[in-house]
Amino acid sequence: MSRYRKCGKPTCHCAREGDPGHGPKWVLVRSVDGGRRNWSIPEAALAQTREQVAEYRRFRQLLRELIDVSERLCETRLAERRAEPAKRGRRTPRSARRWA
């Protein structure tokens, strides 16, 4: 995200009406522990940062897809179990258990 800011000096160009201010300054904004964290990104690292953010978004999408597939697999397995008849095994007589 690019940001422009005004320095607050009355004689600076940024104090004029319609001037966007100083910048652009590149900032990476992310939610961490319920709050927002801002990281300043130098112009030289801008391309690399964009690639890393794109890769992070791709990873998140793949993770969502994995979770969806896993949930469907679990639901299918549970449905198959419910459809199976209950197995009734023969119990070993008490006397046979005692001598085994």
Side-chain angles (χ1 to χ4, degrees):
M1 163 190 286
S2 65
R3 292 191 175 166
Y4 291 83
R5 59 179 284 280
K6 299 188 182 252
C7 65
K9 297 178 184 172
T11 57
C12 184
H13 72 88
C14 68
R16 284 185 248 145
E17 186 72 31
D19 191 290
H22 299 279
K25 298 289 183 188
W26 298 97
V27 180
L28 179 64
V29 181
R30 186 166 170 252
S31 295
V32 176
D33 297 328
R36 288 174 51 148
R37 292 262 330 251
N38 300 320
W39 286 275
S40 295
I41 307 298
E43 188 96 24
L46 191 56
Q48 180 185 5
T49 302
R50 284 183 174 153
E51 289 173 11
Q52 290 171 336
V53 169
E55 197 61 29
Y56 170 75
R57 288 181 178 151
R58 183 175 157 274
F59 170 74
R60 292 283 306 254
Q61 179 60 35
L62 290 171
L63 190 58
R64 278 188 222 107
E65 291 173 16
L66 176 66
I67 290 168
D68 289 344
V69 168
S70 179
E71 286 175 350
R72 280 185 271 152
L73 182 63
C74 289
E75 289 169 2
T76 303
R77 286 181 178 167
L78 285 172
E80 287 172 354
R81 268 198 165 162
R82 282 189 222 115
E84 289 177 4
K87 293 182 180 177
R88 293 184 175 246
R90 283 184 60 180
R91 288 188 50 187
T92 307
R94 197 172 191 179
S95 59
R97 276 187 270 153
R98 198 176 319 148
W99 299 108

Coordinates of all heavy atoms in Angstrom, one line a residue, residues 24-71:
P24 N 5.4 8.6 -2.7 CA 4.7 7.5 -1.9 C 5.7 6.8 -1.0 O 6.9 6.6 -1.4 CB 4.2 6.6 -2.9 CG 5.1 6.7 -4.1 CD 5.6 8.1 -4.1
K25 N 5.3 6.5 0.2 CA 6.0 5.6 1.1 C 5.2 4.2 1.0 O 4.0 4.2 1.1 CB 6.0 6.1 2.5 CG 6.7 7.5 2.7 CD 8.1 7.3 2.5 CE 8.8 8.7 2.7 NZ 10.2 8.7 2.4
W26 N 6.0 3.2 0.9 CA 5.3 1.9 0.8 C 5.3 1.2 2.1 O 6.2 1.2 2.9 CB 6.1 1.0 -0.2 CG 6.1 1.6 -1.6 CD1 7.0 2.4 -2.1 CD2 5.0 1.6 -2.5 NE1 6.6 2.8 -3.4 CE2 5.3 2.3 -3.6 CE3 3.7 1.0 -2.5 CZ2 4.5 2.5 -4.7 CZ3 2.9 1.1 -3.6 CH2 3.3 1.9 -4.7
V27 N 4.1 0.7 2.5 CA 3.8 0.1 3.8 C 3.1 -1.2 3.6 O 2.2 -1.3 2.8 CB 3.0 1.1 4.6 CG1 2.7 0.5 6.0 CG2 3.6 2.4 4.8
L28 N 3.5 -2.2 4.4 CA 2.8 -3.5 4.4 C 2.0 -3.5 5.7 O 2.6 -3.2 6.8 CB 3.8 -4.6 4.4 CG 3.2 -6.0 4.5 CD1 2.4 -6.4 3.3 CD2 4.3 -7.1 4.7
V29 N 0.7 -3.7 5.6 CA -0.2 -3.6 6.7 C -0.8 -5.0 6.9 O -1.2 -5.6 6.0 CB -1.3 -2.6 6.5 CG1 -2.3 -2.6 7.7 CG2 -0.8 -1.2 6.2
R30 N -0.7 -5.5 8.2 CA -1.1 -6.9 8.5 C -1.7 -6.9 9.9 O -1.3 -6.2 10.8 CB 0.0 -7.8 8.4 CG -0.3 -9.2 8.5 CD 0.8 -10.2 8.1 NE 0.4 -11.5 8.5 CZ 1.0 -12.2 9.5 NH1 2.0 -11.6 10.2 NH2 0.6 -13.4 9.8
S31 N -2.8 -7.8 10.0 CA -3.4 -8.0 11.4 C -2.5 -8.9 12.2 O -2.2 -10.0 11.7 CB -4.8 -8.5 11.2 OG -5.6 -7.6 10.6
V32 N -2.2 -8.6 13.4 CA -1.4 -9.4 14.2 C -2.0 -9.3 15.6 O -2.1 -8.2 16.2 CB 0.1 -9.0 14.3 CG1 0.9 -9.9 15.3 CG2 0.7 -9.1 12.9
D33 N -2.4 -10.4 16.2 CA -2.9 -10.5 17.6 C -4.0 -9.5 17.8 O -4.1 -8.8 18.8 CB -1.8 -10.2 18.6 CG -0.7 -11.3 18.6 OD1 -1.1 -12.5 18.3 OD2 0.4 -11.0 18.9
G34 N -4.9 -9.4 16.9 CA -6.1 -8.5 17.0 C -5.8 -7.0 16.7 O -6.7 -6.2 16.8
G35 N -4.6 -6.7 16.4 CA -4.3 -5.3 16.1 C -3.6 -5.2 14.7 O -3.5 -6.2 14.0
R36 N -3.3 -4.0 14.3 CA -2.7 -3.8 13.0 C -1.2 -3.5 13.1 O -0.8 -2.7 14.0 CB -3.4 -2.7 12.2 CG -4.7 -3.1 11.7 CD -5.5 -1.9 11.1 NE -4.7 -1.3 10.1 CZ -5.1 -0.7 9.0 NH1 -6.4 -0.6 8.8 NH2 -4.3 -0.1 8.2
R37 N -0.4 -4.1 12.3 CA 1.1 -3.8 12.3 C 1.4 -3.3 10.9 O 0.9 -3.7 9.9 CB 1.9 -5.1 12.5 CG 1.8 -5.8 13.8 CD 2.9 -5.4 14.8 NE 4.2 -5.2 14.3 CZ 5.3 -6.0 14.4 NH1 5.2 -7.1 14.9 NH2 6.5 -5.6 13.9
N38 N 2.2 -2.3 10.9 CA 2.7 -1.6 9.7 C 4.2 -1.8 9.6 O 4.9 -1.5 10.5 CB 2.4 -0.1 9.7 CG 0.9 0.2 9.8 OD1 0.1 -0.5 9.2 ND2 0.6 1.1 10.6
W39 N 4.6 -2.2 8.4 CA 6.1 -2.3 8.1 C 6.4 -1.4 6.9 O 5.7 -1.5 5.9 CB 6.4 -3.7 7.7 CG 6.5 -4.7 8.8 CD1 7.5 -4.9 9.7 CD2 5.4 -5.6 9.3 NE1 7.1 -5.9 10.6 CE2 5.8 -6.3 10.4 CE3 4.1 -5.8 8.8 CZ2 5.1 -7.2 11.0 CZ3 3.3 -6.7 9.4 CH2 3.8 -7.4 10.5
S40 N 7.4 -0.5 7.1 CA 7.8 0.3 6.0 C 8.7 -0.5 5.0 O 9.5 -1.3 5.5 CB 8.7 1.5 6.5 OG 7.9 2.3 7.3
I41 N 8.4 -0.4 3.7 CA 9.1 -1.2 2.7 C 9.9 -0.3 1.9 O 9.4 0.7 1.3 CB 8.1 -2.0 1.8 CG1 7.1 -2.8 2.6 CG2 8.8 -2.8 0.8 CD1 7.7 -3.9 3.4
P42 N 11.2 -0.5 1.8 CA 12.1 0.4 1.0 C 11.8 0.1 -0.5 O 11.3 -1.0 -0.9 CB 13.5 -0.1 1.3 CG 13.4 -1.1 2.3 CD 12.0 -1.4 2.6
E43 N 11.9 1.1 -1.3 CA 11.6 1.0 -2.7 C 12.4 -0.1 -3.4 O 11.8 -0.8 -4.2 CB 12.0 2.4 -3.4 CG 11.6 2.5 -4.8 CD 10.2 3.2 -5.0 OE1 9.9 4.0 -4.2 OE2 9.6 2.9 -6.0
A44 N 13.6 -0.4 -2.9 CA 14.4 -1.5 -3.5 C 13.8 -2.8 -3.2 O 14.0 -3.8 -4.0 CB 15.8 -1.4 -3.0
A45 N 13.1 -3.0 -2.2 CA 12.5 -4.3 -1.8 C 11.0 -4.4 -2.2 O 10.4 -5.4 -1.9 CB 12.6 -4.5 -0.3
L46 N 10.5 -3.5 -2.9 CA 9.1 -3.5 -3.3 C 8.7 -4.7 -4.2 O 7.7 -5.3 -3.9 CB 8.7 -2.1 -4.0 CG 7.3 -1.9 -4.2 CD1 6.5 -1.9 -2.9 CD2 7.1 -0.5 -4.9
A47 N 9.5 -5.0 -5.2 CA 9.1 -6.1 -6.1 C 9.2 -7.4 -5.3 O 8.3 -8.2 -5.5 CB 10.1 -6.1 -7.3
Q48 N 10.2 -7.6 -4.5 CA 10.3 -8.8 -3.8 C 9.2 -9.0 -2.8 O 8.6 -10.1 -2.6 CB 11.7 -8.9 -3.0 CG 11.8 -10.1 -2.2 CD 13.1 -10.1 -1.4 OE1 13.8 -9.1 -1.3 NE2 13.4 -11.2 -0.7
T49 N 8.8 -7.9 -2.1 CA 7.7 -7.9 -1.2 C 6.4 -8.3 -1.9 O 5.6 -9.1 -1.4 CB 7.6 -6.6 -0.5 OG1 8.8 -6.3 0.2 CG2 6.5 -6.6 0.6
R50 N 6.2 -7.7 -3.1 CA 4.9 -8.0 -3.8 C 4.9 -9.5 -4.2 O 3.8 -10.1 -4.1 CB 4.8 -7.2 -5.1 CG 4.4 -5.7 -4.8 CD 4.3 -4.9 -6.0 NE 3.7 -3.6 -5.7 CZ 3.9 -2.5 -6.4 NH1 4.7 -2.6 -7.5 NH2 3.4 -1.4 -6.0
E51 N 6.0 -10.1 -4.6 CA 6.1 -11.5 -4.9 C 5.8 -12.3 -3.6 O 5.0 -13.3 -3.7 CB 7.5 -11.9 -5.4 CG 7.8 -11.3 -6.8 CD 9.2 -11.6 -7.2 OE1 9.9 -12.3 -6.5 OE2 9.6 -11.0 -8.2
Q52 N 6.3 -11.9 -2.5 CA 6.1 -12.7 -1.3 C 4.6 -12.6 -0.8 O 4.1 -13.6 -0.4 CB 7.0 -12.2 -0.2 CG 8.5 -12.5 -0.4 CD 9.4 -11.8 0.6 OE1 9.1 -10.8 1.1 NE2 10.6 -12.4 0.8
V53 N 4.0 -11.5 -1.0 CA 2.6 -11.3 -0.6 C 1.8 -12.2 -1.6 O 0.8 -12.8 -1.1 CB 2.2 -9.8 -0.6 CG1 0.7 -9.7 -0.5 CG2 2.9 -9.1 0.5
A54 N 2.1 -12.2 -2.8 CA 1.3 -13.0 -3.8 C 1.5 -14.5 -3.5 O 0.5 -15.2 -3.5 CB 1.8 -12.7 -5.2
E55 N 2.7 -14.9 -3.1 CA 2.9 -16.3 -2.7 C 2.1 -16.6 -1.4 O 1.6 -17.7 -1.3 CB 4.4 -16.5 -2.5 CG 4.8 -18.0 -2.5 CD 4.5 -18.7 -3.8 OE1 4.4 -18.1 -4.9 OE2 4.2 -19.9 -3.8
Y56 N 2.1 -15.7 -0.5 CA 1.4 -15.9 0.8 C -0.1 -16.1 0.5 O -0.8 -17.0 1.0 CB 1.6 -14.7 1.7 CG 0.7 -14.7 2.9 CD1 0.9 -15.6 4.0 CD2 -0.4 -13.8 3.0 CE1 0.1 -15.6 5.1 CE2 -1.2 -13.8 4.1 CZ -1.0 -14.7 5.1 OH -1.8 -14.7 6.2
R57 N -0.7 -15.3 -0.4 CA -2.1 -15.4 -0.8 C -2.4 -16.7 -1.5 O -3.4 -17.3 -1.3 CB -2.5 -14.2 -1.7 CG -2.6 -12.9 -0.9 CD -3.0 -11.7 -1.7 NE -3.1 -10.5 -0.9 CZ -2.9 -9.3 -1.3 NH1 -2.6 -9.1 -2.6 NH2 -3.0 -8.3 -0.5
R58 N -1.5 -17.1 -2.3 CA -1.6 -18.4 -3.0 C -1.6 -19.5 -2.0 O -2.4 -20.5 -2.1 CB -0.5 -18.6 -4.0 CG -0.6 -19.9 -4.8 CD 0.6 -19.9 -5.9 NE 0.8 -21.2 -6.3 CZ 1.6 -22.1 -5.7 NH1 2.3 -21.7 -4.7 NH2 1.8 -23.3 -6.1
F59 N -0.7 -19.5 -1.0 CA -0.6 -20.5 0.0 C -2.0 -20.5 0.8 O -2.5 -21.6 1.1 CB 0.5 -20.2 1.0 CG 0.5 -21.0 2.2 CD1 0.9 -22.4 2.1 CD2 0.2 -20.5 3.4 CE1 0.9 -23.2 3.3 CE2 0.2 -21.3 4.6 CZ 0.5 -22.6 4.5
R60 N -2.5 -19.4 1.2 CA -3.7 -19.3 1.9 C -4.9 -19.9 1.1 O -5.7 -20.6 1.7 CB -4.1 -17.9 2.3 CG -3.2 -17.2 3.3 CD -3.5 -17.6 4.7 NE -4.8 -17.4 5.1 CZ -5.3 -16.5 5.9 NH1 -4.5 -15.6 6.4 NH2 -6.6 -16.4 6.1
Q61 N -4.9 -19.7 -0.2 CA -6.0 -20.3 -1.0 C -5.8 -21.8 -1.1 O -6.8 -22.5 -0.9 CB -5.9 -19.7 -2.4 CG -7.0 -20.3 -3.4 CD -8.4 -20.1 -2.9 OE1 -8.7 -19.0 -2.3 NE2 -9.2 -21.0 -3.1
L62 N -4.6 -22.3 -1.2 CA -4.4 -23.7 -1.2 C -4.8 -24.4 0.1 O -5.3 -25.5 0.2 CB -2.9 -24.0 -1.6 CG -2.5 -23.8 -3.0 CD1 -1.0 -23.9 -3.1 CD2 -3.2 -24.7 -3.9
L63 N -4.5 -23.7 1.2 CA -4.9 -24.1 2.5 C -6.4 -24.2 2.7 O -6.9 -25.2 3.2 CB -4.3 -23.2 3.6 CG -4.3 -23.7 5.0 CD1 -3.6 -25.0 5.2 CD2 -3.7 -22.7 5.9
R64 N -7.1 -23.2 2.2 CA -8.6 -23.3 2.2 C -9.1 -24.5 1.4 O -10.0 -25.2 1.9 CB -9.1 -22.0 1.6 CG -9.2 -20.9 2.6 CD -10.0 -19.7 2.1 NE -9.2 -18.5 2.4 CZ -8.5 -17.7 1.6 NH1 -8.5 -18.0 0.3 NH2 -7.9 -16.7 2.1
E65 N -8.5 -24.7 0.3 CA -8.9 -25.9 -0.5 C -8.6 -27.2 0.2 O -9.5 -28.1 0.1 CB -8.2 -25.8 -1.9 CG -8.7 -24.7 -2.8 CD -7.9 -24.6 -4.1 OE1 -7.1 -25.5 -4.4 OE2 -7.9 -23.5 -4.7
L66 N -7.5 -27.3 0.8 CA -7.1 -28.5 1.6 C -8.1 -28.7 2.7 O -8.6 -29.9 2.9 CB -5.7 -28.4 2.1 CG -5.3 -29.6 3.0 CD1 -5.2 -30.8 2.2 CD2 -4.0 -29.2 3.7
I67 N -8.5 -27.7 3.4 CA -9.5 -27.8 4.5 C -10.8 -28.3 4.0 O -11.5 -29.1 4.5 CB -9.6 -26.5 5.3 CG1 -8.3 -26.2 6.0 CG2 -10.8 -26.5 6.2 CD1 -8.1 -24.9 6.6
D68 N -11.3 -27.7 2.8 CA -12.5 -28.1 2.2 C -12.5 -29.6 1.9 O -13.5 -30.3 2.1 CB -12.8 -27.2 1.0 CG -13.2 -25.8 1.3 OD1 -13.5 -25.5 2.5 OD2 -13.2 -25.0 0.4
V69 N -11.5 -30.0 1.2 CA -11.4 -31.4 0.8 C -11.4 -32.3 2.1 O -12.1 -33.4 2.1 CB -10.1 -31.7 0.0 CG1 -9.8 -33.2 -0.2 CG2 -10.3 -31.0 -1.4
S70 N -10.6 -32.0 3.1 CA -10.6 -32.7 4.3 C -11.9 -32.8 5.0 O -12.3 -33.9 5.5 CB -9.5 -32.1 5.3 OG -9.5 -32.8 6.4
E71 N -12.7 -31.7 5.0 CA -14.0 -31.7 5.6 C -15.0 -32.7 4.9 O -15.7 -33.4 5.4 CB -14.6 -30.3 5.7 CG -13.9 -29.5 6.8 CD -14.4 -28.0 6.8 OE1 -15.1 -27.6 5.8 OE2 -14.1 -27.3 7.7

